[in-house]
Amino acid sequence: MTVTAEEMKHITLKDLIALGEFGCSCGKKHAPGVAKVIIEKGAVKSLPALLEEIGAKKPFLLSGHDSYAAAGEKVCSVLEASGYPYAEYVFPVSPVRPTEYTVGSALMHFDYSCDTIVGIGSGVINDTGKMLARATGMKYIIVATAPSMDGFVSGTSSMDRDGLKTSLYSTAAWGVIGDLDILCNAPMHLLRAGVGDMLAKITSLAEWKLAKIIVGEDYCEATAALVERALKQVMDQSKKLLERDPDAVRAVMEGLLIAGIGMNYAGVSRPASGMEHYFSHIWDMRSLAFEDAKFEQHGIQAGLGTLYTLMAYETFLKGNYRPDRKRAMKYVADFSLEDWNAKLLSFIGLGAEAMIEGENREHKYDAKKHQARFAVIEENWDAILETISTLPPSSEIRALMDSIGFPTSASVIGYNNEQVKTTFMMTKDIRDKYVGTRLFWDLGILEEITEKAFPA
């Protein structure tokens, strides 16, 4: 059986999981990575049945203070009523940060008489739980406390390692429990964050296609169609979130899970993460490096990054730019990697050292590599413009964000316009992924786009 992009536009989450591994029109085989998803009222009561299905005898429960208050007591009561013994660890600090110390703490408190890991939470708890599952070789189940991010079922964890935000291979959740009684009562801030992480797919999907055109990256139309449909589903339902409408909350949760499955299909984060996510990563890294630097929920930061990314692409389209070889070659010749690295270190701190080391391996700033990319850009200019032209106007997304009380300025986390400009220009350096700022650098117009897109 071969599944096409058109079929992916209509398949439900339930059918997607039931489909299991399948052959795709892209020529590869895809698998969802998750076996069981239960999203309904009272879903926590299904945990013992899921544990029984995988032959688990004693789960290890991992949570934070907030997530334990939201669902931990319910989970413990359900297990006790079913006669299931368990061990648990509740992180003593709040907020829990996604660092090597958090993973180490979870591992050091792990009870090796347990045979399954159950995360109770979202974001960091889930990423840490997946890392712990990989380290121990055990199956992982997540009891979600908020539909706030798309990493529930992805096979990677977004962690800060040596100050650098990076995606590390972990274990995808075998099962996901989304109890609507819990999810609908999540803090509104977290519900908005889930919308923000889904809005990021607007730009990530376009940049995935750009990367295929410019650097020959693998691209799957079926996976892109799947994630695009999930995005539309969330955008259509988002206004009902303010009412904590169960159908809207379900739509966001399902959309986030589908995005995670899309990442599993692609084998990389491309379908769900692009330049917009790198705004968030840079702000996270600054908050680790500097005491006075703030950070927000990942989905809030990714949503802001999406708005800023759209503003940049709009500026590019309005400028009617075309490849100018003379301008681009002079720009690259004048570029000082030494000076740029100094800026990275001053703005990001320790994490910049890993970014600089990454460039020592990748050589994206190499003049010969730039010439080769520029030739491809010239040859495929019409396709590049067509891809960027599919993006919605930033005003449309800003209006949607306003309608649900979503912040539309990084001033909410203490960043002024100049710092937003700096963040934007540094998004090209997070990791070896071709994004919009790399295109603007290749064209020799990065500073020009920056000044026009984010005027004082």
Side-chain angles (χ1 to χ4, degrees), residues 14 22 68 107 156 164 233 269 297 325 358 413 422:
K14 181 179 179 181
F22 63 92
Y68 184 83
L107 190 59
T156 61
L164 175 67
Q233 173 181 302
S269 62
Q297 285 291 327
R325 179 170 288 272
I413 44 177
T422 301

Side-chain angles (χ1 to χ4, degrees), residues 48 139 170 250 277 281-282 313 328 334 342 370:
K139 278 190 169 62
S170 56
R250 178 193 291 275
H277 267 64
H281 292 350
I282 289 171
Y313 278 124
D334 292 343
H370 168 256

Side-chain angles (χ1 to χ4, degrees), residues 165-182:
K165 197 75 174 183
T166 187
S167 291
L168 301 177
Y169 286 109
S170 56
T171 296
W174 177 87
V176 178
I177 294 175
D179 190 322
L180 289 174
D181 292 324
I182 296 170

Side-chain angles (χ1 to χ4, degrees), residues 312-359:
Y313 278 124
E314 271 181 346
T315 301
F316 168 74
L317 290 175
K318 288 177 182 177
N320 292 315
Y321 292 98
R322 297 197 63 82
D324 183 326
R325 179 170 288 272
K326 183 178 179 180
R327 175 183 60 196
M329 298 308 156
K330 182 179 186 305
Y331 181 86
V332 171
D334 292 343
F335 178 75
S336 170
L337 182 56
E338 183 179 354
D339 290 346
W340 182 247
N341 287 344
K343 289 181 181 180
L344 289 174
L345 287 165
S346 66
F347 192 73
I348 298 174
L350 177 64
E353 294 181 5
M355 292 164 69
I356 292 167
E357 181 57 35
E359 170 55 22

Side-chain angles (χ1 to χ4, degrees), residues 14 28 47 50 88 111 156-157 170 186 189 225 228 234 237 240 248 323 349 366 369 374 419-420 434:
K14 181 179 179 181
K28 295 184 176 181
L47 178 58
L50 294 186
E88 62 180 327
D111 185 334
T156 61
S157 291
S170 56
H189 199 55
E228 189 170 8
V234 171
Q237 293 280 347
K240 293 183 181 179
D366 179 81
K369 286 192 173 185
F374 191 84
Q419 290 171 318
V420 169
Y434 200 88

Side-chain angles (χ1 to χ4, degrees), residues 359-395:
E359 170 55 22
N360 290 337
R361 296 189 304 270
E362 298 153 13
H363 305 294
K364 64 180 175 290
Y365 294 125
D366 179 81
K368 289 185 178 179
K369 286 192 173 185
H370 168 256
Q371 290 172 15
R373 289 195 305 269
F374 191 84
V376 174
I377 290 169
E378 283 184 307
E379 184 178 350
N380 294 278
W381 188 245
D382 288 344
I384 291 169
L385 286 182
E386 182 181 357
T387 299
I388 296 174
S389 296
T390 63
L391 292 168
S394 62
S395 59

